[in-house]
Amino acid sequence: MPEIRPSEEFVTLPVSIPPLPSFRVQATHYLYLRRNAPRIPTPDDSRSLYVANVPCDSTEPHFRALFSSLVGAGRFEGIAFEQDKKTSRSSHEPAQAVRLAGHRKRKRGEEDFRDAKDEDAAELPSTWTRQVYDSGSCAVALFADEKSAEHVLKAVKKLKKPKHYPVWGEGVKGSIPSLGSEWLKDHNKLSYPGNDIVQASMDAYFTAFNRKEKEAAQLAARLRNEPDEDGFVTVTRGGRAAPARRDEAEEAKQKMLDREKKKKDEMTDFYRFQMREKRKAEQAEILKRFEEDKKKVRAMKEKRGKFRPES
């Protein structure tokens, strides 16, 4: 990959990519590092580095070996890839539970752990043995302390000659799944899990779903008998699943007003004589304002009189 001229806040970290069976030429890849400064500060910002243009086959062992070759072992703690944060999981929440999320009490630690465990059990196993990232992706590397992050930046600035460039993937062979044809073969196998695995995932999903649906129904029944901000209790009859929210009532009222206004506008200029009368009224209004302006100008002139300033 060609080197990009970095800005003043970034430092360039060149790494040597060894020859591969599919590309038997040694190459140089450029990573760009700077202090991590997110829009919302976190307690770990001082001991973390923002890494741009990470290789597509990046893993945590790769970066552990890379930073260990620069500043020694024991300083690197972990790395969070930006692409992993964008990966969304399927929701296990019933529709009624989502509506009542704002009224739900905060759960205790045991209940949170139980929900997380049930959601993990309800997920099907991944079909990939290893993640491959988009070209030009970024990540945030976390170190033991602020001095470790500073030592990394200083060590990167000292890299001048290609023979001193760290080798990408050195020391991680055998500790991570391989790519290439083996990676695709494993994906093909994992795409067809056994019936027992699928059945266990379905059972866990519906167990969690039914429990949350029951909790949401109990919460809706309790809220139906609680007074609102003004001290009134909404009396409902029939199969309403949950109490109406204030924003829902205001939204329904606004929709009704919009429909009435649209209907009125459509019937205003329906006939030709209505359009003719409307134009006449507009012309009369313009003439009326013109005459009023003339009177104002005439009054201002009379008030000013024949006074002339001395030259």
Side-chain angles (χ1 to χ4, degrees):
M1 178 177 292
E3 181 181 4
I4 303 174
R5 188 173 182 180
S7 62
E8 295 180 357
E9 60 179 346
F10 281 94
V11 294
T12 306
L13 172 57
V15 294
S16 179
I17 306 295
L20 299 174
S22 58
F23 189 72
R24 302 182 181 276
V25 178
Q26 185 173 354
T28 302
H29 184 89
Y30 296 93
L31 290 87
Y32 302 97
L33 285 70
R34 66 166 169 81
R35 289 284 189 177
N36 187 34
R39 294 181 179 178
I40 303 177
T42 62
D44 297 329
D45 291 342
S46 60
R47 61 189 186 102
S48 60
L49 295 179
Y50 180 83
V51 186
N53 195 34
V54 299
C56 59
D57 62 340
S58 298
T59 61
E60 184 171 322
H62 276 89
F63 280 96
R64 187 177 300 277
L66 175 64
F67 292 123
S68 297
S69 65
L70 293 174
V71 294
R75 296 181 179 270
F76 175 78
E77 284 193 2
I79 189 166
F81 296 96
E82 189 69 22
Q83 190 171 330
D84 293 341
K85 298 179 183 179
K86 298 178 181 179
T87 304
S88 60
R89 299 176 61 177
S90 58
S91 176
H92 303 156
E93 296 284 343
Q96 186 174 354
V98 175
R99 287 189 55 195
L100 299 175
H103 302 277
R104 192 182 305 167
K105 293 183 179 180
R106 187 175 182 179
K107 295 185 178 180
R108 295 173 295 181
E110 297 178 357
E111 295 179 350
D112 286 337
F113 177 76
R114 180 196 63 186
D115 291 345
K117 185 178 180 180
D118 292 345
E119 290 183 2
D120 291 339
E123 291 289 335
L124 288 171
S126 176
T127 58
W128 297 102
T129 57
R130 182 173 164 187
Q131 178 72 28
V132 176
Y133 299 98
D134 297 336
S135 177
S137 299
C138 55
V140 176
L142 183 65
F143 296 89
D145 49 29
E146 186 175 357
K147 290 184 179 180
S148 299
E150 186 66 29
H151 288 332
V152 170
L153 294 177
K154 290 181 180 180
V156 171
K157 293 178 182 179
K158 294 180 181 179
L159 296 175
K160 301 298 182 182
K161 298 181 180 180
K163 64 179 181 179
H164 298 151
Y165 294 170
V167 180
W168 181 253
E170 189 175 34
V172 301
K173 188 176 182 180
S175 61
I176 56 175
S178 60
L179 295 175
S181 59
E182 294 296 329
W183 180 59
L184 295 175
K185 289 179 182 178
D186 293 337
H187 170 66
N188 188 35
K189 293 178 182 179
L190 295 174
S191 298
Y192 302 95
N195 294 336
D196 53 343
I197 298 177
V198 177
Q199 186 64 47
S201 177
M202 291 178 59
D203 293 342
Y205 177 87
F206 282 108
T207 299
F209 184 88
N210 292 335
R211 188 189 72 250
K212 292 180 180 180
E213 193 173 37
K214 183 179 178 181
E215 293 176 354
Q218 294 174 353
L219 179 60
R222 179 172 61 82
L223 292 175
R224 193 177 293 116
N225 298 322
E226 287 186 357
D228 57 12
E229 298 176 355
D230 299 326
F232 294 97
V233 177
T234 303
V235 180
T236 59
R237 179 184 178 185
R240 183 170 180 85
R245 297 198 302 265
R246 184 182 297 273
D247 55 348
E248 289 183 350
E250 293 178 354
E251 183 180 358
K253 181 180 178 181
Q254 186 63 35
K255 288 183 178 179
M256 182 182 67
L257 295 176
D258 293 342
R259 285 197 300 267
E260 292 179 356
K261 184 176 182 301
K262 183 179 180 181
K263 184 177 180 181
K264 184 178 179 180
D265 293 341
E266 290 176 351
M267 297 301 296
T268 300
D269 299 330
F270 186 76
Y271 295 103
R272 183 177 297 178
F273 77 90
Q274 289 179 325
M275 299 175 64
R276 186 167 57 250
E277 295 294 332
K278 183 179 179 180
R279 286 196 297 268
K280 288 182 178 180
E282 291 176 352
Q283 293 175 0
E285 182 65 23
I286 293 173
L287 291 174
K288 181 180 178 182
R289 289 200 300 266
F290 178 72
E291 293 296 332
E292 291 176 354
D293 292 340
K294 286 174 64 177
K295 291 179 181 180
K296 290 180 181 179
V297 172
R298 192 180 304 113
M300 291 174 62
K301 289 182 178 179
E302 293 176 356
K303 186 176 181 182
R304 185 177 60 182
K306 299 182 178 179
F307 174 75
R308 293 289 184 272
E310 295 181 359
S311 57

